[in-house]
Amino acid sequence: MNDPARDLAGAVAAHRTLAADIAGLTDDQVRRPSELAGWTVGHVLTHIARNADGLSNLLEGAARGVVADMYPGGREGRAADIEAGAPRPARDLIDDVAASSARIEAAFAALADDQWNAQGATVFGPVAMVDVPRRRWQETTVHHADLGLGYTYRDWPDDFVRLELQRFTMLWNSRKPMGLTGLPAAALAVDDHDRIAWLMGRLVIDGLEPAGLLG
């Protein structure tokens, strides 16, 4: 299911779309609440940037032949970095997103063909470099909508929605008891964008509990 070239193209396109949308943000806007409870727009932008840096750590480690930690400070260090970065002025946040996006794109370009199966360490367990482009594509696209600045899950690219629906439907099925797999009828009754938004915890569908697959 992984296709690094396809997923990398998606991630780079997501970087460009995000950069265009945040280019004119003001200090007032970055202090506003985002769509994520307890987080401002500044928190989300900082998270997007630190995710890029963390994934770059994995890629750069793989290029050196070592298993690197995505977040050397673990969950606590990750959370502290986001809290510390969130109150910055809009210009600093915009520049941080741009610089971290450029770093990960350079790290992708530097990875040799025989290094895509190398491993890195995340707070959730090991990950192969072949999966990193998809992770970055998802991170940038989903959190772009979490900013609450006009771009929503309805704007997610169709190819992204199609691929993530396949993956999240399989994830849903894998977590259900044998014989009770398959998405609920209410989830199947909505369109693809609504369905993936529900699976990712970004939409409430009447009559359904949260999918509980992604925070």
Side-chain angles (χ1 to χ4, degrees), residues 9-26:
V12 171
H15 287 167
R16 302 296 179 269
T17 301
L18 174 64
D21 278 0
I22 67 174
L25 288 180
T26 66

Side-chain angles (χ1 to χ4, degrees), residues 94-145:
I94 294 165
D95 290 347
D96 190 15
V97 171
S100 58
S101 295
R103 178 187 172 190
I104 192 172
E105 289 177 22
F108 280 129
L111 204 65
D113 289 345
D114 62 354
Q115 293 171 329
W116 282 101
N117 288 321
Q119 298 284 309
T122 76
V123 295
F124 300 107
V127 61
M129 296 308 102
V130 71
D131 193 44
V132 173
R134 183 200 59 77
R135 286 173 177 245
R136 182 58 186 171
W137 189 10
Q138 182 199 86
E139 191 79 12
T140 307
T141 302
V142 173
H143 286 311
H144 188 169

Side-chain angles (χ1 to χ4, degrees), residues 54-64 104 107-108 111 116 129 132:
L55 293 175
S56 294
N57 289 339
L58 301 183
L59 294 162
E60 292 163 0
R64 298 192 307 271
I104 192 172
F108 280 129
L111 204 65
W116 282 101
M129 296 308 102
V132 173

Side-chain angles (χ1 to χ4, degrees), residues 38-117:
W39 272 16
T40 65
V41 170
H43 282 91
V44 178
L45 290 173
T46 303
H47 174 62
I48 292 170
R50 297 292 73 77
N51 171 264
D53 282 343
L55 293 175
S56 294
N57 289 339
L58 301 183
L59 294 162
E60 292 163 0
R64 298 192 307 271
V66 301
V67 177
D69 288 325
M70 182 173 178
Y71 297 113
R75 294 173 187 264
E76 295 80 7
R78 169 181 173 271
D81 284 345
I82 293 171
E83 287 298 327
R88 291 174 294 170
R91 187 71 259 165
D92 290 353
L93 289 161
I94 294 165
D95 290 347
D96 190 15
V97 171
S100 58
S101 295
R103 178 187 172 190
I104 192 172
E105 289 177 22
F108 280 129
L111 204 65
D113 289 345
D114 62 354
Q115 293 171 329
W116 282 101
N117 288 321

Side-chain angles (χ1 to χ4, degrees), residues 176-196:
K176 300 301 175 182
M178 291 295 291
L180 296 177
T181 57
L183 294 176
L188 295 173
V190 299
D191 69 20
D192 287 353
H193 278 73
D194 282 358
R195 191 177 308 125
I196 190 58

